[in-house]
Amino acid sequence: QNTNIYVKRTTSLFLNVRGFGFNVMYDPNGRIYITLEPYYSNKVQGLCGNMNGNTDDDLTNSAGIVEALPGFCNSWMAATCVVQPYSGPVQPCTFSDSSAAKDLCGYVGGSVFSECVKVLEWKRYRTMCEYDMCARENPSDNTPLCTMVSALATACEKADIIVNWQADSTLRELCAESNGYQCTGGQSFQMCANPCGTCRDQQLDESYCDSDECVSGCSCPDGQLLDDYGQCVNKEQCSCYDLYDPQNPLKGPGDISK
């Protein structure tokens, strides 16, 4: 944390970067959600568009010209990267045995999402699932499936429909070994967890915590907070974090803060 930006782990799935007028939720498994205040309208540029309310010019390259996707992406490439020749979209499911991957991706938009798919355009989530599952190097890695199931559940939540996909025992077992879905220290997987559920959060200014926001992932039960040792504890059991003592920042009962 500094005066301009704050970075924290929100749940087992998400890292949160918050600053002046922006909020970024990042899932290392392959998701990123960026929220900007109206102040930034038409003041940003790059791979995520310019936030001017017109989706027709989101593929504006670094020279200010709208162009096709490959050129648009290459224009924003860092100078240290090498431009790769583009020969059209790759379809990994044509190069592998796709039947198993497509069967598993049937869960994306399947029966557990029955209420949500009535009101939400969901098929692209299944398409992305199939693409990533076919492209995976380890055939036992179900992370692409779990990521797209979680992504669709997040979209449903934004439409005010909570989908508790972890209640499906088969899906829960399929994702049990994936990164971010293994809960420890008394935590449990929640569809809508408190984004400020750690002991460290209690020392923050209230502006860093949005009570209306929720995120999925492993989190402590109501009434408890995650301490710096990865355990769920009651609030009164939390250690204090001393920013001015980097050698010994965690302070317990009886410890002296500098």
Side-chain angles (χ1 to χ4, degrees), residues 11 36 41 74 77 101 105 125 146 157 168 175 188 192 238 258:
T11 66
L36 299 179
S41 178
N74 287 338
M77 186 180 297
C105 289
Y125 292 92
C146 306
E157 186 270 326
D168 186 299
C175 295
S188 61
C192 189
C238 285
K258 293 183 178 181

Side-chain angles (χ1 to χ4, degrees), residues 5-251:
I5 195 169
Y6 182 69
V7 182
K8 67 179 287 272
R9 178 167 289 281
T10 305
T11 66
S12 60
L13 283 179
F14 284 99
L15 293 171
N16 181 216
V17 181
R18 185 182 291 264
F20 178 74
F22 71 88
N23 187 46
V24 178
M25 299 296 292
Y26 171 61
D27 173 5
N29 291 326
R31 286 186 291 165
I32 186 167
Y33 299 95
I34 302 173
T35 304
L36 299 179
E37 296 293 336
Y39 166 82
Y40 287 102
S41 178
N42 212 27
K43 295 179 180 178
V44 292
Q45 57 183 350
L47 296 179
C48 294
N50 53 27
M51 196 186 167
N52 66 353
N54 178 15
T55 58
D56 292 336
D57 65 359
D58 276 345
L59 299 185
T60 299
N61 65 21
S62 58
I65 302 171
V66 177
E67 65 172 319
L69 187 61
F72 162 73
C73 293
N74 287 338
S75 78
W76 294 107
M77 186 180 297
T80 53
C81 297
V82 178
V83 176
Q84 300 293 327
Y86 180 74
S87 57
V90 176
Q91 300 296 339
C93 289
T94 62
F95 301 106
S96 64
D97 181 6
S98 62
S99 58
K102 289 186 175 182
D103 285 346
L104 286 172
C105 289
Y107 284 103
V108 181
S111 58
V112 72
F113 291 97
S114 59
E115 292 302 315
C116 183
V117 296
K118 296 176 183 177
V119 298
L120 198 71
E121 172 49 54
W122 60 274
K123 292 184 179 179
R124 62 190 179 97
Y125 292 92
R126 181 176 291 179
T127 299
M128 289 188 287
C129 176
E130 292 175 354
Y131 185 101
D132 289 343
M133 287 290 280
C134 287
R136 59 185 173 167
E137 296 181 359
N138 181 355
S140 63
D141 180 14
N142 293 323
T143 300
L145 164 66
C146 306
T147 300
M148 284 301 106
V149 167
S150 292
L152 180 53
T154 296
C156 294
E157 186 270 326
K158 293 183 182 299
D160 296 323
I161 301 173
I162 300 298
V163 176
N164 183 16
W165 64 266
Q166 284 262 320
D168 186 299
S169 58
T170 304
L171 258 180
R172 186 171 64 249
E173 184 176 346
L174 285 170
C175 295
E177 300 301 319
S178 296
N179 179 42
Y181 296 88
Q182 303 172 7
C183 299
T184 60
Q187 299 178 89
S188 61
F189 197 93
Q190 300 180 34
M191 299 300 117
C192 189
N194 178 3
C196 287
T198 70
C199 288
R200 193 83 64 85
D201 292 327
Q202 307 311 302
Q203 294 181 234
L204 293 176
D205 184 277
E206 290 185 0
S207 62
Y208 284 98
C209 290
D210 185 349
S211 58
D212 294 330
E213 182 183 25
C214 68
V215 290
S216 61
C218 298
S219 188
C220 291
D222 289 343
Q224 290 194 316
L225 300 166
L226 190 69
D227 68 11
D228 287 277
Y229 305 101
Q231 299 295 315
C232 292
V233 299
N234 295 327
K235 185 176 181 178
E236 58 270 16
Q237 295 175 289
C238 285
S239 301
C240 290
Y241 189 86
D242 188 350
L243 293 172
Y244 303 100
D245 188 2
Q247 300 302 317
N248 185 32
L250 297 179
K251 306 296 184 184

